[in-house]
């Protein structure tokens, strides 16, 4: 029996506009849903033909070929779509010699079995609004999202807005719905 999952998904206007669009019959939201569904919600050891990695909450080990096959889309199209999603800050992807590791940044938390699971890779709307991001190479050869938020700064996450009410909730928050970062 499949468990009930609830998601706190936070998207900017540009991210939502991109995902709502469709080109060449590709349902972009379907691709995001596939990635979110495949994301681990607890640390998981992933092994494949002599390759091993620990996936952290919010990460997915899924090659572009595997993703294209699951969705019934062309591999090149999926590759371009993932590149655009990374450019918009929805995900980041790292290629390995056996697969790709994707990290979801637009899900602030999951609810599973009445337990809230926070995504450590989530980038809040407040951080998106107040700071400049650079998505791409960080000098170490890995994809990242860099921000000028000081490490010690305590900020209330958007998760508090959509997930701290004590009940599992399904929310889609857009920049249009957030006023001062305090409400939906």
């Amino acid at each position: 029996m499949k468990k009930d999952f609830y998601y706190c998904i936070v998207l900017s206007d540009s991210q939502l506009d991109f995902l709502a669009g469709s080109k060449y019959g590709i349902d972009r939201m379907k691709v995001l849903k596939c990635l979110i569904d495949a994301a681990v919600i607890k640390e998981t050891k992933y092994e494949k033909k002599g390759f091993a990695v620990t996936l952290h909450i919010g990460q997915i080990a899924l090659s572009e070929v595997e993703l294209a096959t699951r969705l019934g889309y062309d591999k090149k199209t999926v590759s371009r779509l993932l590149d655009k999603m990374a450019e918009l800050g929805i995900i980041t992807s790292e290629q390995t010699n056996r697969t790709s590791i994707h990290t979801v940044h637009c899900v602030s938390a999951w609810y599973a079995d009445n337990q809230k699971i926070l995504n450590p890779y989530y980038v809040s709307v407040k951080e998106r609004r107040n700071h400049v991001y650079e998505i791409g190479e960080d000098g170490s050869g890995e994809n990242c999202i860099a921000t000028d938020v000081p490490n010690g700064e305590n900020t209330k996450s958007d998760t508090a807005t959509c997930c701290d009410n004590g009940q599992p909730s399904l929310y889609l928050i857009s920049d249009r719905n957030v006023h001062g970062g305090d409400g939906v």
Side-chain angles (χ1 to χ4, degrees):
M1 183 170 92
K2 187 177 178 184
K3 297 178 187 179
D4 285 333
F5 281 95
Y6 299 88
Y7 309 93
C8 290
I9 300 172
V10 184
L11 298 166
S12 69
D13 285 339
S14 60
Q15 291 170 335
L16 187 58
D17 288 344
F18 172 75
L19 291 169
S22 178
K23 193 173 183 180
Y24 307 118
I26 302 298
D27 184 343
R28 297 170 181 168
M29 195 60 113
K30 181 179 175 182
V31 175
L32 178 61
K33 182 183 181 332
C34 184
L35 289 170
I36 291 172
D37 286 346
V40 299
I41 57 171
K42 65 179 181 178
E43 285 200 2
T44 305
K45 181 126 177 146
Y46 175 82
E47 295 182 26
K48 183 177 184 178
K49 297 179 186 174
F51 172 77
V53 66
T54 300
L55 297 174
H56 303 285
I57 296 170
Q59 292 186 316
I60 307 105
L62 192 63
S63 74
E64 292 174 356
V65 172
E66 291 168 323
L67 183 58
T69 301
R70 279 188 188 188
L71 296 167
Y73 297 146
D74 179 72
K75 186 239 182 233
K76 285 186 179 184
T77 304
V78 168
S79 179
R80 284 190 296 260
L81 181 60
L82 292 173
D83 289 345
K84 183 64 176 177
M85 290 172 79
E87 182 182 316
L88 290 169
I90 298 168
I91 64 165
T92 52
S93 299
E94 176 186 348
Q95 303 294 325
T96 70
N97 62 347
R98 297 284 182 210
T99 192
S100 297
I101 307 296
H102 307 284
T103 305
V104 177
H105 299 290
C106 62
V107 175
S108 63
W110 291 263
Y111 269 103
D113 296 329
N114 289 324
Q115 182 179 24
K116 180 171 62 174
I117 303 156
L118 295 175
N119 182 358
Y121 295 103
Y122 170 70
V123 179
S124 75
V125 171
K126 183 176 181 179
E127 291 172 352
R128 290 181 219 172
R129 284 184 166 188
N130 297 331
H131 298 54
V132 176
Y133 298 96
E134 227 176 88
I135 299 175
E137 296 295 320
D138 68 353
S140 68
E142 296 182 19
N143 288 328
C144 67
I145 293 185
T147 178
D148 61 354
V149 175
N151 289 338
E153 182 178 317
N154 291 327
T155 59
K156 188 171 183 176
S157 114
D158 301 323
T159 307
T161 303
C162 67
C163 297
D164 283 348
N165 63 6
Q167 295 293 320
S169 301
L170 179 62
Y171 283 90
L172 180 63
I173 299 175
S174 163
D175 282 348
R176 291 181 198 132
N177 303 76
V178 178
H179 304 285
D182 294 326
V184 179

